[in-house]
């Protein structure tokens, strides 16, 4: 079943970043030169130049390491800290041709290599063999002929490097998809890392811009549970576009944005950075550069173009730098926007170069505004600097088109050029295994970090990306050619096979037509969807081991799936009032159902402890929950009144208190106590049930109809009638039907039972 736009409350998710694999796409031949250690030492000694320290081979395994974001980590360092030994590297495998051109950097996590194509497809390969583990075609890419200009052809789909949240087990990308015939719409998509299932598919709003004229070129970044992406124009700077940075919750939700050149009559100011990702520092602030805008006069007010910008997590400008010539740079297309700032953690400095042939040394703590650089490095690069730099210690390796340039930085504010490679390779470099790796033309080079001479080289096939960059993780060196991924290994050889997916939580939702939708680790065991029902389904509950579930209809009919046993029902028998819910006996050998008049019906091993049937109620009963030992149960009415039976203790209720909206469901807490949820998403807790947040007071597309706790009791999910899922506490988002077309409204949610 389709898993489309998911919705969740704002939540914090850690971003995983690690290193250990370098992938090279489309390699056809390999030539190994003398070892880096001997060549570098000899060259350094002969030249008398300062020795550049870089991570070298160390005696420990690098298998299982990751490269989950453009240039390895949040700061875009491009440095592999694991000491992967690539002396020498040899060809290991080449993937099959994929269904479109590859513009992003290969990523690695959990023994898996992730790449995306311009055909709006995301592929996952096994790190040990290159075999395709899954391939998900997310949307219909935009024919290049529909765009006002550009240099990507024949399709424009996923251009920016995706990002992986390892903690969530999810891959995020931005697609460009055909919309309205010849139009376009960008979407933020999230896919399950282990299955490729689409979990999120949310449209991105670029207000006032023509989405055909907007290109999502930057890599993606993660910022405390949000996906961050930059937008600019197509090659040729045509059409109505602005530079944008957007931040969207990983689970989908309200987008926050920063717009460049936003004043009336202004335009452009692309955020593209040669494909590099926005950089995220330890405070969650986002660093980026901007391109030229329409303002070219010294009398114009600065509009955040041609600058280095630091944004807050909420997309507000914290500080900025721009050359004093920003307006003339705009007029001559000599802006800084082709490369991100190189953030040097060792000394708190930043180095920036773009298309002006100048380098600027900046202070991270005080960018200085217009003309606020600490030092200008003249004649820095005779071409453009395109894509992300690599940073090792205080040395920055910049992707100068005519050849990578090494720059030494030092406090309080000095920068000096150490060397420029004579290979002509100027692709965005990384540092791994004692080499600086860069792609020039169709060749991958391993450079001596002291002098820039080539020590290893590998011939690649044609490269689609104008600014390709390699990857190192899981013992592999990776690079992408036009439609293939190529892997190389060092003396340690290939990594082991990808580990199996971790055990995962999950949940089921059910609709009134009996359709069941499974997410995460919740297995699909069948449904009544598409089958004739005498009455609508009104509830769902799971078996003890999570291997099955029961549905109950308003006429009392019960439907069992998976390892859920059938123990009888009220279906076909006269009821005073319709059934509204059910609860499972803890050992799985029975269940209770409850009617709106509070009548309780026990089946199998579920014992009867009393009911409200035949007694006056202020409001109808809407749900029930059982105690952990099965010795009792609670009923809840729409006014929040709670009725306890058997060993179920009364911990309080909302009965007699004013509610904004009626209560629609309840759930039991592991240590005693219970939650209830109202149709506006408000949560009420009693006894040992903890409060982890709610949707109360927030705008909903459709009313909430149910809730279920996690197995730990430290979180819960809410479900709305349109299938939207909202997560709180330790409840992970595993997908939803929110935004999908449903045959019938959702009526309930269930998850494997609580752990005592």
């Amino acid at each position: 079943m389709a898993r489309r736009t998911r919705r969740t409350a704002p939540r914090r998710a850690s971003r995983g970043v690690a290193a250990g694999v370098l992938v090279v796409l489309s390699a056809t031949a390999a030539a190994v030169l003398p070892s880096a250690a001997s060549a570098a030492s000899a060259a350094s000694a002969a030249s008398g130049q300062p020795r550049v320290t870089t991570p070298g081979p160390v005696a420990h395994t690098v298998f299982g390491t990751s490269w989950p974001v453009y240039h390895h980590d949040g700061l875009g360092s491009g440095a592999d800290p694991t000491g992967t030994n690539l002396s020498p590297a040899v060809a290991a495998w080449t993937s099959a041709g994929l269904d479109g051109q590859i513009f992003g950097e290969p990523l690695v996590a959990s023994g898996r290599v992730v790449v995306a194509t311009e055909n709006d497809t995301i592929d996952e390969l096994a790190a040990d063999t290159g075999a395709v583990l899954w391939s998900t075609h997310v949307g219909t890419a935009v024919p290049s002929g529909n765009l006002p200009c550009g240099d990507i052809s024949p399709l424009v789909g996923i251009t920016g490097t995706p990002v992986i949240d390892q903690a969530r087990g999810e891959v995020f990308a931005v697609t460009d998809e055909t919309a309205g015939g010849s139009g376009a719409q960008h979407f933020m998509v999230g896919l399950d890392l282990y299955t490729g299932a689409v979990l999120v598919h949310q449209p991105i709003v670029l207000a006032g811009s023509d989405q055909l004229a907007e290109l999502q070129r930057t890599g993606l970044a993660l910022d405390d549970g949000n996906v961050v992406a930059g937008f600019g124009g197509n090659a040729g700077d045509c059409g109505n576009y602005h530079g944008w940075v957007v931040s969207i919750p990983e689970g989908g939700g309200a987008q926050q944005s920063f717009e460049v050149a936003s004043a009336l009559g202004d335009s452009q100011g692309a955020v593209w950075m040669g494909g590099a990702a926005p950089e995220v520092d330890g405070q969650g602030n986002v660093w980026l550069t901007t391109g030229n805008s329409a303002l070219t006069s010294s009398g114009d007010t600065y509009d955040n173009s041609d600058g280095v910008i630091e944004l807050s997590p909420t997309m507000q400008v914290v500080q900025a730098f721009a050359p004093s010539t920003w307006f003339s740079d705009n007029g001559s297309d000599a802006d800084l926007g082709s490369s991100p700032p190189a953030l040097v953690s060792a000394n708190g400095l930043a180095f920036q170069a773009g298309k002006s042939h100048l380098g600027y040394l900046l202070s991270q703590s005080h960018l200085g505004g217009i003309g606020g650089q600490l030092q200008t490095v003249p004649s820095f690069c005779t071409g453009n600097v395109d894509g992300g730099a690599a940073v090792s210690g205080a040395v920055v390796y910049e992707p100068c088109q005519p050849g990578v340039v090494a720059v030494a930085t030092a406090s309080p504010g000095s920068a000096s050029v150490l060397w420029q490679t004579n290979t002509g390779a100027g692709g965005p470099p990384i540092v791994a295994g004692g080499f600086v790796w860069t792609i020039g033309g169709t060749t991958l080079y391993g450079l001596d970090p002291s002098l820039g001479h080539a020590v290893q080289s590998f011939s690649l096939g044609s490269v689609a990306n104008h600014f390709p960059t390699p990857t190192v993780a899981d013992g592999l060196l990776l690079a992408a050619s036009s439609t293939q991924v190529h892997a190389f290994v060092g003396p340690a050889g290939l990594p082991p096979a990808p580990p199996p997916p971790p055990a995962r939580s999950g949940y089921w939702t059910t609709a009134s037509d009996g359709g069941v939708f499974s997410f995460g680790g919740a297995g699909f065991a069948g449904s009544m969807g598409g089958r004739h029902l005498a009455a609508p389904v009104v509830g769902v509950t799971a078996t003890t081991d999570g291997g099955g579930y029961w549905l109950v209809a308003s006429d009392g009919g019960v439907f069992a799936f998976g390892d859920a046993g059938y123990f009888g029902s009220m279906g076909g028998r006269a009821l005073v009032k319709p059934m509204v819910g059910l609860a499972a006996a803890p050992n799985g050998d029975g269940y209770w159902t409850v009617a709106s008049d509070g009548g309780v019906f026990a089946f199998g091993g579920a014992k009867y402890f009393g009911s409200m049937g035949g007694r006056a109620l202020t409001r109808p009963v809407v749900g029930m929950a059982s105690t952990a030992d099965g010795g009792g149960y609670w009923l809840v009415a729409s006014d929040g009144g709670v009725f306890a039976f058997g060993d179920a203790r009364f911990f309080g209720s909302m009965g007699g208190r004013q509610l904004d909206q009626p209560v629609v469901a309840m759930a039991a807490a592991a240590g005693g106590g219970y939650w209830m949820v109202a149709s506006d998403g408000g949560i009420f807790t009693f006894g040992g049930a903890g409060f982890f947040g709610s949707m109360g007071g927030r705008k909903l597309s459709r009313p909430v109809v149910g809730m279920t706790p996690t197995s730990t009791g430290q979180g819960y999910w809410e479900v709305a009638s349109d299938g939207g899922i909202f997560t709180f506490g330790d409840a992970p988002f595993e997908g939803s039907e929110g935004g999908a077309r449903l045959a019938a409204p959702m009526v309930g949610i269930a998850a494997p039972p609580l752990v005592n």
Side-chain angles (χ1 to χ4, degrees):
M1 296 182 179
R3 300 179 182 181
R4 303 296 288 178
T5 307
R6 75 176 180 191
R7 302 194 323 246
T8 182
R11 55 197 302 271
R12 298 183 178 269
S14 61
R15 45 176 287 158
V17 288
V21 175
L22 171 62
V23 176
V24 179
L25 300 171
S26 190
T28 56
V32 180
L33 301 179
S35 74
S38 59
S41 296
S44 181
S47 68
Q49 292 194 20
R51 175 75 177 168
V52 179
T53 59
T54 59
V58 295
H60 69 273
T61 181
V62 293
F63 296 142
T65 57
S66 300
W67 191 285
V69 62
Y70 182 94
H71 272 203
H72 178 268
D73 50 58
L75 296 179
S77 74
D80 167 31
T82 67
T84 302
N85 186 352
L86 297 170
S87 299
V90 297
W93 53 257
T94 297
S95 76
L98 305 180
D99 72 353
Q101 295 178 326
I102 302 168
F103 270 67
E105 181 183 26
L107 302 178
V108 181
S110 191
R112 295 154 169 86
V113 178
V114 175
V115 288
T117 76
E118 292 290 350
N119 196 31
D120 275 340
T121 298
I122 300 176
D123 296 278
E124 184 168 273
L125 315 176
D128 61 330
T129 65
V132 176
L133 298 176
W134 54 257
S135 180
T136 300
H137 185 56
V138 183
T140 301
V142 179
S144 57
N146 291 0
L147 305 180
C149 62
D151 58 359
I152 301 173
S153 180
L155 296 173
V156 179
I158 301 174
T159 304
T161 299
V163 67
I164 299 173
D165 187 328
Q166 297 176 98
R168 291 175 69 102
E170 196 164 349
V171 180
F172 297 96
V174 171
T175 62
D176 197 357
E177 301 183 30
T178 299
S182 60
Q185 173 65 55
H186 290 88
F187 291 86
M188 189 269 277
V189 298
L191 278 65
D192 187 297
L193 175 63
Y194 301 100
T195 68
V198 178
L199 304 177
V200 184
H201 193 259
Q202 174 169 322
I204 295 174
V205 178
L206 305 174
S209 296
D210 177 4
Q211 294 227 10
L212 284 169
E214 295 279 353
L215 180 66
Q216 200 288 298
R217 187 66 181 89
T218 72
L220 274 57
L222 296 180
D223 188 2
D224 198 18
N226 295 282
V227 179
V228 180
F231 289 79
N234 299 293
D237 278 354
C238 58
N240 176 26
Y241 81 86
H242 289 249
W244 291 89
V245 183
V246 302
S247 177
I248 301 174
E250 292 181 68
Q255 170 185 316
Q256 299 183 91
S257 304
F258 166 69
E259 182 182 8
V260 185
S262 59
L264 184 65
D266 201 357
S267 63
Q268 303 181 29
V271 179
W272 72 286
M273 301 188 294
E279 297 157 346
V280 181
D281 65 21
Q283 288 70 50
N285 288 349
V286 178
W287 296 70
L288 57 116
T289 58
T290 56
N292 58 281
S293 75
L295 301 187
T296 59
S297 169
S298 60
D300 290 328
T301 300
Y302 181 62
D303 58 357
N304 291 316
S305 63
D306 186 27
V308 177
I309 311 292
E310 180 186 5
L311 300 177
S312 72
T314 58
M315 301 290 101
Q316 304 300 309
V317 175
V318 175
Q319 59 171 337
F321 161 78
S324 58
T325 54
W326 67 271
F327 51 91
S328 58
D329 290 348
N330 283 349
S332 59
D333 192 24
D335 56 84
L336 299 177
S338 59
S339 184
L343 302 179
V344 185
S345 299
N347 51 31
L349 299 174
F351 189 82
Q352 180 62 48
K355 295 183 284 185
S356 66
H357 312 311
L358 300 173
Y360 296 97
L361 188 66
L362 311 172
S363 168
Q364 292 182 37
S365 62
H366 182 66
L367 289 178
I370 297 174
Q373 67 269 25
L374 300 176
Q375 180 187 350
T376 301
V377 181
S379 303
F380 173 70
C381 173
T382 57
N384 292 347
V385 176
D386 293 312
V391 179
S392 180
V395 177
V396 176
Y397 301 93
E398 286 283 349
C400 172
Q401 275 187 352
V404 170
V405 175
V407 182
T409 66
S411 296
S414 66
S416 58
V417 172
L418 298 176
W419 51 256
Q420 181 172 19
T421 181
N422 60 5
T423 63
I430 65 169
V431 178
F435 301 95
V436 177
W437 297 94
T438 181
I439 298 172
T442 62
T443 303
L444 170 68
Y445 293 94
L447 307 179
D448 170 6
S450 294
L451 294 174
H453 298 160
V455 181
Q456 300 192 64
S457 65
F458 302 91
S459 178
L460 308 176
S462 63
V463 176
N465 184 3
H466 306 301
F467 321 112
T469 187
T471 303
V472 171
D474 207 12
L476 299 176
L477 166 63
L478 303 169
S481 59
S482 182
T483 62
Q484 293 176 290
V485 177
H486 303 268
F488 303 85
V489 295
L494 286 164
R504 298 177 58 186
S505 61
Y507 41 85
W508 301 271
T509 60
T510 187
S512 63
D513 64 353
V516 172
F517 306 85
S518 60
F519 302 94
F524 179 75
S527 80
M528 295 301 294
R531 301 164 69 177
H532 176 72
L533 293 175
V537 166
V538 293
V540 59
T541 194
T543 59
T544 305
D545 61 2
Y549 41 81
W550 296 274
L551 310 181
V552 64
S554 63
D555 64 353
V558 171
F559 309 94
F561 300 93
D563 64 1
Y566 177 74
F567 302 103
S569 79
M570 295 301 292
R573 301 162 71 177
L575 294 174
V576 176
K577 292 292 183 180
M579 216 66 77
V580 293
L582 81 165
N587 58 8
D589 66 348
Y591 41 80
W592 300 270
T593 62
V594 63
S596 64
D597 64 354
V600 172
F601 307 87
F603 301 91
K607 296 181 179 180
Y608 178 77
F609 299 104
S611 80
M612 295 301 293
R615 300 164 70 178
L617 293 174
T618 304
R619 291 289 185 272
V621 166
V622 293
M624 74 179 303
S626 68
T627 59
D629 62 1
Y633 42 77
W634 299 273
L635 312 182
V636 66
S638 65
D639 64 354
V642 171
F643 310 95
F645 300 92
D647 66 1
R649 292 177 55 197
F650 178 76
F651 294 101
S653 79
M654 296 301 294
R657 301 164 71 178
Q658 183 165 345
L659 296 174
D660 292 330
Q661 295 294 330
V663 168
V664 294
M666 77 180 309
Y674 38 82
W675 298 272
M676 60 180 75
V677 63
S679 64
D680 64 355
I683 294 284
F684 307 94
T685 66
F686 301 91
F691 180 76
F692 304 105
S694 80
M695 294 302 294
R698 301 164 71 178
K699 185 177 180 180
L700 296 173
S701 298
R702 291 291 185 274
V704 167
V705 294
M707 72 169 297
T708 191
T710 62
S711 61
T712 64
Q714 297 303 301
Y716 38 78
W717 297 272
E718 297 181 8
V719 63
S721 64
D722 64 353
I725 296 289
F726 308 94
T727 69
F728 303 92
D730 67 357
F733 181 81
E734 299 289 358
S736 83
E737 290 297 308
R741 190 182 184 92
L742 295 175
M746 217 65 79
V747 295
I749 184 170
L754 292 165
V755 176
N756 290 318

